[in-house]
Amino acid sequence: QVQLVESGGGLVQAGGSLRLSCAASGSIFSIDVMAWYRQAPGKQRELVARIISGYRTNYGDSVKGRFTISRDKNTVALQMNSLKPEDTAIYYCAATVRAGTVYWGQGTQVTVSS
């Protein structure tokens, strides 16, 4: 079992920055992939960024060049720069363990005002 707790969401003006953090506990040794997803009202949940085996990264097309994902032991962070109103969503941390199970955090709201 893996437990995930996100922090760092909030309200920011367009062009500003926020940093999200996700702390994992439990069987953290079994985590292969940590990722951030987001879901805006009326839209499907989408991948924002993921980090595989602690160093390989992938980003969604809409955030490339603006967001950076990083991992340090049991914490994964998402540095979000040049935020746009369309980045407004609930952001979820996710961890995939070797057995294939995906664990989710409770989500943190990010609101970008224009």
XYZ file of all heavy atoms in Angstrom:
859
model
N 0.844 -1.196 0.000
C 0.000 0.000 0.000
C 0.875 1.239 0.000
O 1.942 1.270 0.601
C -0.884 0.008 1.265
C -1.934 -1.077 1.315
C -3.147 -0.740 0.483
O -3.320 0.411 0.080
N -3.973 -1.740 0.196
N 0.413 2.232 -0.722
C 1.101 3.514 -0.794
C 0.079 4.609 -0.495
O -1.037 4.598 -1.019
C 1.712 3.751 -2.187
C 2.294 5.153 -2.287
C 2.791 2.705 -2.480
N 0.457 5.531 0.359
C -0.386 6.685 0.650
C 0.291 7.927 0.086
O 1.512 8.082 0.177
C -0.600 6.850 2.158
C -1.360 5.702 2.808
C -0.487 4.479 3.054
O 0.655 4.603 3.461
N -1.021 3.297 2.785
N -0.520 8.806 -0.499
C -0.003 10.015 -1.138
C -0.727 11.233 -0.587
O -1.960 11.240 -0.509
C -0.209 9.941 -2.653
C 0.420 8.747 -3.367
C -0.075 8.663 -4.808
C 1.932 8.831 -3.338
N 0.037 12.259 -0.248
C -0.554 13.496 0.256
C 0.027 14.664 -0.529
O 1.247 14.876 -0.520
C -0.272 13.681 1.763
C -0.860 15.006 2.240
C -0.856 12.524 2.559
N -0.859 15.389 -1.215
C -0.420 16.537 -2.004
C -0.509 17.818 -1.192
O -1.312 17.929 -0.263
C -1.293 16.716 -3.263
C -1.325 15.528 -4.199
C -2.632 14.797 -4.169
O -3.304 14.817 -3.119
O -2.993 14.197 -5.211
N 0.289 18.800 -1.595
C 0.224 20.128 -0.999
C 0.725 21.137 -2.019
O 1.380 20.764 -3.004
C 1.065 20.200 0.277
O 2.419 19.926 -0.001
N 0.402 22.409 -1.788
C 0.960 23.466 -2.609
C 0.016 24.118 -3.591
O 0.397 25.057 -4.283
N -1.211 23.645 -3.681
C -2.144 24.277 -4.604
C -2.570 25.644 -4.109
O -2.218 26.069 -3.007
N -3.318 26.360 -4.940
C -3.795 27.667 -4.535
C -4.223 28.505 -5.711
O -4.426 27.999 -6.815
N -4.359 29.801 -5.456
C -4.785 30.763 -6.461
C -3.592 31.608 -6.882
O -2.855 32.109 -6.023
C -5.886 31.648 -5.881
C -6.354 32.832 -6.734
C -7.015 32.331 -8.012
C -7.317 33.700 -5.937
N -3.414 31.760 -8.184
C -2.293 32.540 -8.696
C -2.745 33.268 -9.957
O -3.655 32.799 -10.658
C -1.082 31.627 -8.985
C -1.388 30.641 -10.102
C 0.167 32.428 -9.297
N -2.131 34.392 -10.235
C -2.451 35.121 -11.454
C -1.741 34.497 -12.649
O -0.694 33.862 -12.501
C -2.033 36.578 -11.314
C -2.929 37.391 -10.383
C -2.612 38.875 -10.440
O -1.480 39.268 -10.724
N -3.609 39.699 -10.169
N -2.318 34.712 -13.807
C -1.692 34.226 -15.036
C -0.269 34.761 -15.142
O -0.008 35.931 -14.840
C -2.516 34.658 -16.250
N 0.635 33.876 -15.557
C 2.039 34.228 -15.639
C 2.827 33.905 -14.393
O 4.064 33.950 -14.392
N 2.123 33.589 -13.319
C 2.778 33.275 -12.060
C 3.241 31.829 -11.967
O 3.156 31.073 -12.945
N 3.706 31.470 -10.781
C 4.259 30.133 -10.554
C 3.669 29.518 -9.287
O 3.280 30.235 -8.362
C 5.783 30.200 -10.396
O 6.402 30.693 -11.563
N 3.620 28.213 -9.286
C 3.264 27.443 -8.097
C 4.119 26.185 -8.078
O 4.535 25.694 -9.139
C 1.788 27.024 -8.120
C 0.728 28.021 -7.682
C -0.657 27.410 -7.885
C 0.906 28.446 -6.239
N 4.314 25.664 -6.889
C 5.045 24.401 -6.743
C 4.189 23.441 -5.945
O 3.800 23.743 -4.810
C 6.389 24.626 -6.041
C 7.247 23.374 -5.938
C 8.593 23.700 -5.290
N 9.449 22.546 -5.137
C 10.265 22.100 -6.086
N 10.338 22.716 -7.243
N 11.020 21.038 -5.860
N 3.879 22.308 -6.557
C 3.125 21.259 -5.885
C 4.087 20.199 -5.362
O 5.102 19.899 -5.997
C 2.134 20.600 -6.840
C 1.147 21.525 -7.553
C 0.201 20.683 -8.426
C 0.367 22.366 -6.580
N 3.741 19.648 -4.216
C 4.521 18.546 -3.653
C 3.610 17.383 -3.313
O 2.441 17.584 -2.982
C 5.262 18.993 -2.391
O 6.275 19.910 -2.698
N 4.166 16.191 -3.388
C 3.419 14.980 -3.055
C 4.344 14.089 -2.238
O 5.409 13.703 -2.726
C 2.960 14.275 -4.315
S 2.198 12.663 -4.044
N 3.929 13.791 -1.041
C 4.718 12.934 -0.164
C 4.115 11.542 -0.138
O 2.920 11.376 0.138
C 4.765 13.519 1.238
N 4.944 10.559 -0.432
C 4.500 9.165 -0.433
C 4.943 8.476 0.847
O 6.029 8.734 1.361
C 5.064 8.433 -1.645
N 4.102 7.605 1.343
C 4.453 6.790 2.506
C 3.935 5.372 2.279
O 3.139 5.127 1.377
C 3.866 7.375 3.794
O 2.460 7.440 3.714
N 4.413 4.463 3.101
C 4.034 3.062 2.936
C 5.115 2.330 2.163
O 6.306 2.505 2.419
N 4.721 1.555 1.180
C 5.665 0.731 0.414
C 6.330 1.531 -0.703
O 6.215 1.203 -1.891
C 4.934 -0.479 -0.168
O 4.343 -1.253 0.857
N 7.059 2.561 -0.335
C 7.639 3.458 -1.340
C 8.734 2.777 -2.147
O 9.023 3.190 -3.270
C 8.167 4.753 -0.696
C 9.232 4.449 0.347
C 7.025 5.543 -0.081
C 9.895 5.692 0.909
N 9.314 1.710 -1.612
C 10.372 1.014 -2.336
C 9.834 0.342 -3.595
O 10.575 0.020 -4.517
C 11.006 -0.044 -1.434
C 10.037 -1.098 -0.977
C 9.845 -2.260 -1.728
C 9.285 -0.933 0.169
C 8.942 -3.221 -1.319
C 8.375 -1.887 0.578
C 8.200 -3.035 -0.168
N 8.530 0.111 -3.649
C 7.916 -0.585 -4.784
C 7.429 0.369 -5.881
O 6.910 -0.087 -6.901
C 6.729 -1.413 -4.296
O 5.706 -0.574 -3.786
N 7.628 1.670 -5.679
C 7.123 2.639 -6.658
C 8.063 2.725 -7.852
O 9.251 2.984 -7.706
C 6.971 4.031 -6.031
C 5.931 3.993 -4.906
C 6.556 5.043 -7.088
C 5.813 5.302 -4.142
N 7.502 2.530 -9.055
C 8.272 2.671 -10.283
C 8.061 4.041 -10.937
O 8.980 4.623 -11.488
C 7.864 1.603 -11.301
C 8.641 0.327 -11.126
O 9.655 0.332 -10.407
O 8.235 -0.697 -11.709
N 6.828 4.501 -10.910
C 6.474 5.737 -11.601
C 5.712 6.646 -10.653
O 4.800 6.178 -9.956
C 5.591 5.457 -12.840
C 5.281 6.758 -13.571
C 6.274 4.467 -13.776
N 6.073 7.903 -10.639
C 5.274 8.904 -9.943
C 4.865 9.955 -10.962
O 5.653 10.304 -11.857
C 6.034 9.515 -8.779
C 6.340 8.506 -7.680
S 6.828 9.255 -6.122
C 5.228 9.777 -5.467
N 3.662 10.437 -10.830
C 3.130 11.313 -11.866
C 2.172 12.334 -11.278
O 1.672 12.181 -10.158
C 2.412 10.482 -12.928
N 1.929 13.350 -12.057
C 0.887 14.331 -11.777
C -0.131 14.286 -12.916
O 0.247 14.311 -14.085
C 1.469 15.738 -11.668
C 2.247 15.965 -10.418
C 3.597 15.838 -10.258
C 1.736 16.340 -9.145
N 3.953 16.120 -8.966
C 2.822 16.431 -8.252
C 0.454 16.621 -8.653
C 2.676 16.782 -6.906
C 0.308 16.966 -7.325
C 1.406 17.049 -6.468
N -1.378 14.237 -12.537
C -2.494 14.337 -13.477
C -3.331 15.541 -13.065
O -3.204 16.048 -11.942
C -3.370 13.075 -13.412
C -2.757 11.856 -14.030
C -1.762 11.127 -13.368
C -3.159 11.407 -15.291
C -1.198 9.994 -13.943
C -2.599 10.267 -15.868
C -1.626 9.582 -15.180
O -1.060 8.466 -15.753
N -4.189 15.966 -13.957
C -5.111 17.043 -13.602
C -6.467 16.801 -14.264
O -6.556 16.130 -15.293
C -4.567 18.410 -14.003
C -4.465 18.653 -15.504
C -3.766 19.983 -15.772
N -3.681 20.270 -17.211
C -3.003 21.293 -17.726
N -2.360 22.132 -16.921
N -2.986 21.486 -19.032
N -7.472 17.369 -13.631
C -8.820 17.256 -14.173
C -9.541 18.581 -13.991
O -9.724 19.046 -12.854
C -9.602 16.139 -13.486
C -10.942 15.862 -14.135
C -11.543 14.549 -13.682
O -11.158 13.981 -12.661
N -12.483 14.031 -14.452
N -9.902 19.166 -15.112
C -10.665 20.407 -15.103
C -12.155 20.067 -15.152
O -12.532 18.978 -15.610
C -10.267 21.266 -16.292
N -13.008 20.981 -14.720
C -14.462 20.722 -14.734
C -14.938 20.354 -16.128
O -14.621 21.033 -17.104
C -15.059 22.052 -14.270
C -13.998 22.673 -13.450
C -12.704 22.284 -14.098
N -15.670 19.255 -16.224
C -16.228 18.825 -17.495
C -15.246 18.162 -18.433
O -15.599 17.845 -19.575
N -14.022 17.936 -17.972
C -13.008 17.333 -18.833
C -12.490 16.052 -18.211
O -12.625 15.820 -17.012
C -11.857 18.312 -19.076
C -12.254 19.544 -19.874
C -11.030 20.366 -20.233
C -11.405 21.555 -21.104
N -10.204 22.353 -21.489
N -11.862 15.237 -19.056
C -11.268 14.003 -18.561
C -9.955 14.282 -17.848
O -9.284 15.290 -18.110
C -11.021 13.042 -19.736
C -12.289 12.453 -20.329
C -11.992 11.349 -21.326
O -10.922 11.317 -21.932
N -12.932 10.441 -21.490
N -9.599 13.390 -16.944
C -8.309 13.505 -16.277
C -7.206 13.297 -17.305
O -7.280 12.395 -18.137
C -8.201 12.468 -15.156
C -7.034 12.676 -14.229
C -7.113 11.742 -13.028
N -8.275 12.032 -12.184
C -8.457 11.482 -10.986
N -7.569 10.638 -10.495
N -9.538 11.783 -10.280
N -6.166 14.134 -17.241
C -5.083 14.040 -18.209
C -3.726 14.023 -17.511
O -3.555 14.595 -16.425
C -5.126 15.218 -19.198
C -4.894 16.569 -18.570
C -4.793 17.685 -19.613
O -4.807 17.396 -20.825
O -4.682 18.851 -19.188
N -2.775 13.389 -18.169
C -1.415 13.350 -17.655
C -0.760 14.712 -17.813
O -0.770 15.301 -18.885
C -0.594 12.305 -18.405
C 0.880 12.250 -18.041
C 1.075 11.706 -16.630
C 1.651 11.397 -19.055
N -0.172 15.182 -16.738
C 0.606 16.424 -16.775
C 2.080 16.092 -16.949
O 2.744 16.606 -17.852
C 0.393 17.245 -15.491
C 1.269 18.493 -15.503
C -1.076 17.624 -15.322
N 2.591 15.243 -16.072
C 4.008 14.867 -16.128
C 4.203 13.598 -15.319
O 3.448 13.325 -14.381
C 4.891 15.978 -15.571
N 5.218 12.831 -15.680
C 5.551 11.650 -14.899
C 7.056 11.470 -14.887
O 7.761 11.914 -15.791
C 4.865 10.401 -15.436
C 5.262 10.008 -16.830
C 4.438 8.819 -17.300
N 4.655 8.548 -18.714
C 3.890 7.756 -19.436
N 2.856 7.153 -18.886
N 4.150 7.558 -20.704
N 7.516 10.787 -13.866
C 8.930 10.502 -13.725
C 9.070 9.017 -13.449
O 8.425 8.463 -12.549
C 9.579 11.390 -12.641
C 11.084 11.182 -12.588
C 8.929 11.199 -11.271
C 11.814 12.293 -11.855
N 9.892 8.373 -14.256
C 10.017 6.922 -14.256
C 11.379 6.539 -13.693
O 12.403 7.075 -14.131
C 9.855 6.374 -15.686
C 8.520 6.834 -16.271
C 9.955 4.848 -15.698
C 8.424 6.672 -17.772
N 11.363 5.623 -12.743
C 12.609 5.140 -12.128
C 13.456 6.284 -11.597
O 14.686 6.185 -11.566
C 13.422 4.299 -13.134
O 12.679 3.179 -13.560
N 12.831 7.346 -11.216
C 13.522 8.437 -10.560
C 14.203 9.448 -11.451
O 14.718 10.460 -10.952
N 14.227 9.199 -12.789
C 14.948 10.172 -13.606
C 14.350 10.414 -15.000
O 14.468 11.494 -15.544
C 16.416 9.749 -13.773
C 16.615 8.465 -14.523
C 16.912 8.472 -15.888
C 16.507 7.233 -13.887
C 17.095 7.292 -16.586
C 16.690 6.050 -14.593
C 16.991 6.089 -15.928
O 17.158 4.917 -16.614
N 13.715 9.421 -15.634
C 13.139 9.647 -16.968
C 11.826 10.389 -16.830
O 10.981 10.015 -16.024
C 12.926 8.328 -17.683
C 14.210 7.687 -18.192
C 13.880 6.499 -19.070
N 13.240 5.428 -18.311
C 12.439 4.524 -18.836
N 12.134 4.569 -20.125
N 11.910 3.570 -18.086
N 11.659 11.425 -17.639
C 10.465 12.260 -17.512
C 9.688 12.342 -18.824
O 10.262 12.261 -19.914
C 10.827 13.682 -17.055
O 11.741 14.250 -18.007
C 11.473 13.673 -15.675
N 8.379 12.470 -18.688
C 7.477 12.720 -19.813
C 6.541 13.848 -19.408
O 6.166 13.942 -18.232
C 6.641 11.488 -20.150
C 7.465 10.293 -20.561
O 7.404 9.239 -19.934
N 8.242 10.450 -21.611
N 6.156 14.656 -20.389
C 5.253 15.773 -20.121
C 4.108 15.790 -21.129
O 4.275 15.405 -22.286
C 6.007 17.101 -20.217
C 7.054 17.283 -19.154
C 8.368 16.878 -19.354
C 6.725 17.855 -17.924
C 9.322 17.026 -18.367
C 7.677 18.017 -16.932
C 8.976 17.601 -17.163
O 9.919 17.752 -16.181
N 2.970 16.277 -20.666
C 1.882 16.533 -21.589
C 2.263 17.688 -22.508
O 3.010 18.587 -22.107
N 1.743 17.673 -23.719
C 2.121 18.692 -24.704
C 1.814 20.103 -24.222
O 2.565 21.042 -24.502
C 1.399 18.432 -26.026
C 1.945 17.219 -26.758
O 3.079 16.793 -26.454
O 1.237 16.692 -27.633
N 0.734 20.264 -23.503
C 0.309 21.604 -23.105
C 1.181 22.228 -22.009
O 1.083 23.436 -21.769
C -1.142 21.576 -22.632
O -1.276 20.746 -21.495
N 2.032 21.435 -21.366
C 2.844 21.969 -20.272
C 4.337 21.930 -20.555
O 5.136 22.410 -19.738
C 2.554 21.239 -18.941
C 1.056 21.249 -18.639
C 3.109 19.825 -18.945
N 4.724 21.359 -21.688
C 6.151 21.254 -22.010
C 6.791 22.636 -22.029
O 6.251 23.579 -22.598
C 6.335 20.576 -23.369
C 6.123 19.077 -23.341
C 6.304 18.470 -24.734
C 6.066 16.970 -24.693
N 6.153 16.360 -26.043
N 7.943 22.721 -21.383
C 8.669 23.983 -21.338
C 8.228 24.910 -20.212
O 8.895 25.912 -19.942
N 7.117 24.579 -19.552
C 6.627 25.422 -18.462
C 6.645 24.696 -17.117
O 6.862 25.329 -16.082
C 5.192 25.878 -18.758
C 5.044 26.688 -20.019
C 3.626 27.268 -20.146
N 2.603 26.240 -20.237
C 1.579 26.128 -19.413
N 1.429 26.980 -18.414
N 0.669 25.168 -19.588
N 6.409 23.390 -17.132
C 6.360 22.604 -15.898
C 7.576 21.695 -15.824
O 8.081 21.213 -16.843
C 5.103 21.739 -15.865
C 3.809 22.492 -15.721
C 3.733 23.870 -15.840
C 2.639 21.795 -15.448
C 2.538 24.547 -15.709
C 1.434 22.453 -15.315
C 1.380 23.837 -15.450
N 8.008 21.442 -14.594
C 9.122 20.521 -14.370
C 8.781 19.584 -13.225
O 8.397 20.040 -12.137
C 10.411 21.284 -14.027
O 10.721 22.203 -15.081
C 11.575 20.315 -13.859
N 8.922 18.296 -13.478
C 8.690 17.295 -12.437
C 10.026 16.812 -11.905
O 10.992 16.674 -12.657
C 7.848 16.115 -12.971
C 7.401 15.200 -11.826
C 8.597 15.333 -14.055
C 6.368 14.141 -12.258
N 10.067 16.572 -10.603
C 11.287 16.062 -9.991
C 10.910 15.148 -8.844
O 9.818 15.238 -8.286
C 12.175 17.209 -9.489
O 11.484 17.986 -8.518
N 11.833 14.254 -8.506
C 11.580 13.313 -7.421
C 12.799 13.255 -6.516
O 13.942 13.203 -6.987
C 11.260 11.916 -7.951
C 10.963 10.902 -6.846
C 10.610 9.536 -7.416
N 10.446 8.558 -6.354
C 10.232 7.259 -6.528
N 10.122 6.772 -7.767
N 10.097 6.439 -5.503
N 12.524 13.258 -5.231
C 13.587 13.111 -4.230
C 13.092 12.109 -3.201
O 12.236 12.426 -2.384
C 13.892 14.463 -3.579
C 14.993 14.352 -2.534
O 15.739 13.345 -2.558
O 15.108 15.261 -1.705
N 13.610 10.908 -3.270
C 13.212 9.818 -2.369
C 11.699 9.626 -2.433
O 11.166 9.182 -3.439
C 13.705 10.100 -0.958
C 15.228 10.122 -0.857
C 15.686 10.404 0.565
C 17.207 10.444 0.629
N 17.708 10.768 1.984
N 11.007 9.966 -1.365
C 9.578 9.693 -1.320
C 8.717 10.897 -1.684
O 7.507 10.882 -1.459
C 9.174 9.200 0.070
C 9.316 10.289 1.123
O 10.263 11.050 1.090
N 8.359 10.365 2.035
N 9.313 11.927 -2.249
C 8.569 13.134 -2.594
C 8.707 13.431 -4.085
O 9.803 13.351 -4.630
C 9.078 14.335 -1.787
O 8.932 14.071 -0.392
C 8.299 15.587 -2.145
N 7.596 13.765 -4.706
C 7.633 14.214 -6.093
C 7.066 15.633 -6.132
O 6.073 15.940 -5.470
C 6.841 13.279 -7.022
C 5.368 13.226 -6.681
C 7.041 13.667 -8.477
N 7.745 16.493 -6.872
C 7.339 17.891 -6.945
C 7.008 18.253 -8.387
O 7.519 17.655 -9.335
C 8.449 18.791 -6.418
N 6.153 19.248 -8.526
C 5.820 19.780 -9.843
C 5.973 21.292 -9.776
O 5.189 21.973 -9.092
C 4.393 19.412 -10.240
C 3.983 19.836 -11.648
C 4.746 18.996 -12.695
C 2.471 19.670 -11.858
N 6.996 21.800 -10.433
C 7.207 23.236 -10.514
C 6.473 23.749 -11.740
O 6.740 23.314 -12.855
C 8.694 23.557 -10.623
C 8.998 25.039 -10.768
C 8.618 25.834 -9.530
O 8.825 25.390 -8.396
N 8.031 26.999 -9.735
N 5.536 24.660 -11.511
C 4.701 25.163 -12.594
C 4.982 26.646 -12.787
O 4.749 27.454 -11.884
C 3.223 24.945 -12.260
C 2.875 23.499 -11.920
S 1.109 23.213 -11.687
C 0.831 24.154 -10.195
N 5.502 26.990 -13.946
C 5.821 28.374 -14.288
C 4.952 28.842 -15.448
O 4.373 28.032 -16.171
C 7.289 28.505 -14.656
C 8.218 28.136 -13.518
O 7.899 28.338 -12.346
N 9.380 27.579 -13.863
N 4.885 30.136 -15.633
C 4.116 30.726 -16.739
C 2.704 30.155 -16.793
O 2.217 29.741 -17.853
C 4.836 30.476 -18.070
O 6.141 31.017 -18.038
N 2.061 30.139 -15.655
C 0.735 29.526 -15.568
C -0.296 30.283 -16.385
O -0.235 31.518 -16.521
C 0.300 29.440 -14.114
C 0.957 28.292 -13.330
C 0.864 28.535 -11.841
C 0.321 26.966 -13.706
N -1.228 29.517 -16.943
C -2.290 30.064 -17.779
C -3.645 29.718 -17.163
O -3.748 28.716 -16.437
C -2.213 29.463 -19.184
C -0.874 29.624 -19.873
C -0.853 28.872 -21.196
C 0.495 28.987 -21.893
N 0.515 28.243 -23.177
N -4.674 30.485 -17.469
C -6.000 30.144 -16.936
C -6.422 28.711 -17.277
O -7.097 28.063 -16.472
C -6.914 31.174 -17.603
C -6.028 32.361 -17.817
C -4.688 31.783 -18.164
N -5.997 28.213 -18.418
C -6.372 26.851 -18.801
C -5.649 25.781 -17.992
O -5.940 24.588 -18.142
C -6.140 26.620 -20.303
C -4.777 27.017 -20.808
C -4.766 28.414 -21.405
O -5.368 29.339 -20.809
O -4.127 28.587 -22.466
N -4.723 26.182 -17.152
C -4.086 25.233 -16.234
C -4.938 25.000 -14.982
O -4.603 24.144 -14.155
C -2.706 25.739 -15.800
C -1.709 25.787 -16.949
O -1.690 24.841 -17.758
O -0.966 26.771 -17.031
N -6.010 25.740 -14.857
C -6.896 25.586 -13.708
C -7.504 24.193 -13.687
O -8.099 23.750 -14.671
C -8.016 26.643 -13.755
O -7.444 27.936 -13.620
C -9.023 26.411 -12.633
N -7.330 23.505 -12.575
C -7.807 22.123 -12.451
C -7.510 21.617 -11.047
O -6.807 22.277 -10.275
C -7.113 21.217 -13.472
N -8.026 20.444 -10.759
C -7.571 19.715 -9.578
C -6.396 18.854 -10.022
O -6.506 18.112 -11.009
C -8.685 18.842 -8.982
C -9.863 19.713 -8.548
C -8.147 18.041 -7.795
C -11.063 18.923 -8.057
N -5.312 18.958 -9.298
C -4.105 18.215 -9.639
C -3.967 17.035 -8.683
O -4.045 17.194 -7.463
C -2.881 19.121 -9.550
C -2.758 20.051 -10.731
C -3.675 21.098 -10.917
C -1.760 19.889 -11.682
C -3.584 21.949 -12.015
C -1.662 20.733 -12.782
C -2.581 21.756 -12.939
O -2.489 22.594 -14.034
N -3.733 15.869 -9.269
C -3.625 14.636 -8.509
C -2.237 14.025 -8.659
O -1.696 13.951 -9.760
C -4.640 13.603 -8.997
C -6.082 13.998 -8.820
C -6.761 14.671 -9.819
C -6.765 13.691 -7.645
C -8.100 15.031 -9.674
C -8.096 14.043 -7.485
C -8.748 14.719 -8.503
O -10.070 15.067 -8.340
N -1.717 13.583 -7.559
C -0.478 12.812 -7.557
C -0.835 11.334 -7.708
O -1.838 10.875 -7.143
C 0.239 13.062 -6.241
S 1.766 12.133 -6.013
N -0.019 10.600 -8.460
C -0.251 9.178 -8.652
C 1.063 8.424 -8.564
O 2.105 8.928 -8.981
C -0.899 8.922 -10.011
N 0.995 7.230 -8.018
C 2.170 6.369 -7.927
C 1.805 4.990 -8.450
O 0.780 4.423 -8.047
C 2.657 6.281 -6.481
N 2.647 4.478 -9.343
C 2.452 3.142 -9.896
C 3.532 2.229 -9.344
O 4.719 2.529 -9.458
C 2.535 3.160 -11.430
O 1.602 4.110 -11.942
C 2.221 1.785 -12.001
N 3.098 1.133 -8.744
C 4.051 0.188 -8.176
C 4.327 -0.922 -9.176
O 3.651 -1.051 -10.199
C 3.529 -0.383 -6.845
C 3.332 0.735 -5.831
C 2.241 -1.173 -7.058
N 5.334 -1.726 -8.883
C 5.787 -2.754 -9.830
C 4.701 -3.752 -10.181
O 4.674 -4.275 -11.280
C 7.009 -3.461 -9.261
C 8.202 -2.537 -9.186
C 9.499 -3.252 -8.802
N 10.512 -2.258 -8.447
C 10.871 -1.976 -7.207
N 10.317 -2.612 -6.201
N 11.782 -1.061 -6.971
N 3.787 -3.985 -9.252
C 2.703 -4.930 -9.518
C 1.650 -4.341 -10.451
O 0.747 -5.058 -10.901
C 2.053 -5.355 -8.209
N 1.748 -3.054 -10.747
C 0.824 -2.422 -11.670
C -0.268 -1.595 -11.026
O -0.978 -0.859 -11.713
N -0.429 -1.690 -9.737
C -1.465 -0.919 -9.054
C -1.102 0.559 -9.048
O 0.055 0.921 -8.852
C -1.623 -1.406 -7.603
O -1.910 -2.805 -7.616
C -2.741 -0.665 -6.889
N -2.120 1.388 -9.266
C -1.927 2.835 -9.238
C -2.613 3.391 -7.992
O -3.789 3.098 -7.744
C -2.512 3.505 -10.493
C -2.279 5.019 -10.443
C -1.891 2.911 -11.748
N -1.872 4.162 -7.235
C -2.416 4.824 -6.056
C -2.566 6.318 -6.338
O -1.728 6.902 -7.045
C -1.497 4.598 -4.844
C -1.396 3.156 -4.433
C -0.411 2.322 -4.970
C -2.286 2.610 -3.514
C -0.326 0.991 -4.613
C -2.204 1.281 -3.141
C -1.225 0.477 -3.691
O -1.140 -0.847 -3.322
N -3.611 6.908 -5.765
C -3.916 8.311 -6.024
C -3.963 9.108 -4.733
O -4.390 8.606 -3.695
C -5.272 8.441 -6.716
C -5.302 7.831 -8.078
C -5.638 6.548 -8.387
C -4.977 8.472 -9.311
N -5.549 6.349 -9.748
C -5.144 7.516 -10.345
C -4.575 9.764 -9.666
C -4.911 7.813 -11.695
C -4.344 10.054 -10.997
C -4.516 9.088 -11.991
N -3.546 10.360 -4.853
C -3.740 11.287 -3.755
C -5.134 11.878 -3.801
O -5.921 11.567 -4.702
N -5.421 12.752 -2.849
C -6.771 13.297 -2.739
C -6.990 14.485 -3.673
O -8.139 14.882 -3.897
C -7.057 13.725 -1.293
C -6.477 15.073 -0.878
C -4.983 15.057 -0.650
O -4.326 14.015 -0.737
N -4.434 16.221 -0.339
N -5.933 15.018 -4.226
C -6.030 16.138 -5.152
C -5.847 17.481 -4.467
O -6.147 17.645 -3.275
N -5.342 18.441 -5.237
C -5.174 19.804 -4.740
C -5.593 20.776 -5.842
O -5.261 20.590 -7.012
C -3.722 20.055 -4.283
O -3.630 21.348 -3.687
C -2.717 19.962 -5.428
N -6.342 21.780 -5.454
C -6.901 22.706 -6.438
C -5.864 23.750 -6.847
O -5.211 24.365 -5.989
C -8.131 23.421 -5.856
C -8.748 24.469 -6.773
C -9.450 23.864 -7.968
O -10.232 22.927 -7.832
N -9.179 24.404 -9.160
N -5.745 23.953 -8.149
C -4.936 25.038 -8.705
C -5.861 25.921 -9.528
O -6.545 25.430 -10.441
C -3.792 24.502 -9.581
C -3.104 25.643 -10.323
C -2.786 23.730 -8.727
N -5.893 27.195 -9.194
C -6.728 28.139 -9.920
C -5.863 29.276 -10.431
O -5.134 29.905 -9.658
C -7.845 28.712 -9.026
O -8.631 27.639 -8.510
C -8.740 29.661 -9.816
N -5.923 29.516 -11.734
C -5.138 30.576 -12.367
C -6.105 31.630 -12.886
O -6.935 31.348 -13.756
C -4.272 30.031 -13.510
C -3.393 31.142 -14.077
C -3.425 28.857 -13.027
N -5.987 32.815 -12.359
C -6.883 33.898 -12.766
C -6.265 34.704 -13.908
O -5.046 34.851 -13.990
C -7.168 34.824 -11.581
O -5.983 35.441 -11.139
N -7.126 35.214 -14.771
C -6.632 35.973 -15.937
C -6.503 37.451 -15.624
O -6.917 37.924 -14.593
C -7.594 35.776 -17.107
O -8.896 36.165 -16.737
